[in-house]
Amino acid sequence: TASKHFAQHGIPVIDSDALALRTIDPDGAAFDAVVEAFGSDILHEGAISRGALAEIVFQDPASLETLNQLIHPLVYAESARLCEEYALAGHPVTLIEAALHAEDGTLREELDGLIVVDCPVEIRIRRLMDRRNMSRENALMRIESQTAPEKKFPLARWIIHNDKGLDDLQQQVEAVIKEF
């Protein structure tokens, strides 16, 4: 939701999840490697079933790491290409929306800053259950597979608290845009 607010102000936003999903499309760059790594049981009608893949990787950290190693380099390369494209088009700022930035406690050197959007775990669980029709257990597994937002606070130039209404979120986004 914060990303949508930035985009409404004309700031390009690169959706890393969308890029990652494209890599596992049947014609995507990671499709064959992912099927090889996780087996044909993840296929449904010739495509990778996100649900079947999620069942594997969010229950096994080693499998999640394998998936990340197959997909992340492709997502990083495409993000870099898009950032350059937006810069050449005259955009002084481009945002990369990604839950997995700074997972290792460092900020990638090509990034100028980090915005952490924080929200209490219970609200995140409820939102995942409502918006993605996930069970509480699956929502919690996904959240627990990521570094807690507060561990990224020391790296963040901006922290947006997304635990109130949309007006409050919009005001925080606009404050960050003013700093840009």
Side-chain angles (χ1 to χ4, degrees):
T1 302
S3 293
K4 289 178 186 173
H5 289 309
F6 281 106
Q8 289 169 350
H9 287 277
I11 297 173
V13 177
I14 299 168
D15 182 341
S16 294
D17 284 343
L19 295 179
L21 289 175
R22 277 190 235 146
T23 70
I24 63 169
D25 280 344
D27 61 346
F31 179 84
D32 291 336
V34 171
V35 172
E36 184 177 320
F38 297 99
S40 60
D41 287 347
I42 64 170
L43 295 175
H44 178 72
E45 297 179 0
I48 292 174
S49 164
R50 292 172 54 195
L53 186 58
E55 282 291 319
I56 295 168
V57 302
F58 291 116
Q59 293 184 37
D60 176 29
S63 293
L64 181 59
E65 181 59 28
T66 297
L67 181 64
N68 288 343
Q69 288 176 0
L70 295 171
I71 292 176
H72 285 182
L74 300 168
V75 172
Y76 291 164
E78 181 62 4
S79 294
R81 187 193 70 74
L82 289 169
C83 283
E84 186 173 324
E85 184 178 298
Y86 288 130
L88 291 172
H91 292 280
V93 174
T94 298
L95 297 181
I96 300 172
E97 178 184 348
L100 299 181
H101 277 311
E103 291 293 288
D104 64 355
T106 63
L107 189 63
R108 290 186 359 228
E109 67 182 54
E110 66 271 17
L111 302 178
D112 294 324
L114 178 67
I115 302 169
V116 174
V117 180
D118 186 35
C119 184
V121 171
E122 283 305 315
I123 294 174
R124 287 189 280 157
I125 290 170
R126 188 178 70 239
R127 288 175 179 168
L128 284 169
M129 290 171 62
D130 292 345
R131 295 178 187 158
R132 295 194 185 173
N133 200 27
M134 285 185 191
S135 69
R136 179 177 178 77
E137 179 182 279
N138 283 343
L140 190 56
M141 275 194 300
R142 288 198 185 202
I143 289 168
E144 289 176 346
S145 73
Q146 300 171 355
T147 300
E150 59 271 10
K151 290 189 177 180
K152 298 179 185 182
F153 287 176
L155 297 173
R157 288 180 66 180
W158 303 275
I159 299 170
I160 294 175
H161 300 281
N162 188 12
D163 57 347
K164 296 185 178 91
L166 291 176
D167 289 340
D168 183 68
L169 180 66
Q170 178 69 26
Q171 289 173 5
Q172 292 180 75
V173 167
E174 288 174 5
V176 172
I177 290 170
K178 285 180 185 173
E179 287 189 43
F180 287 167

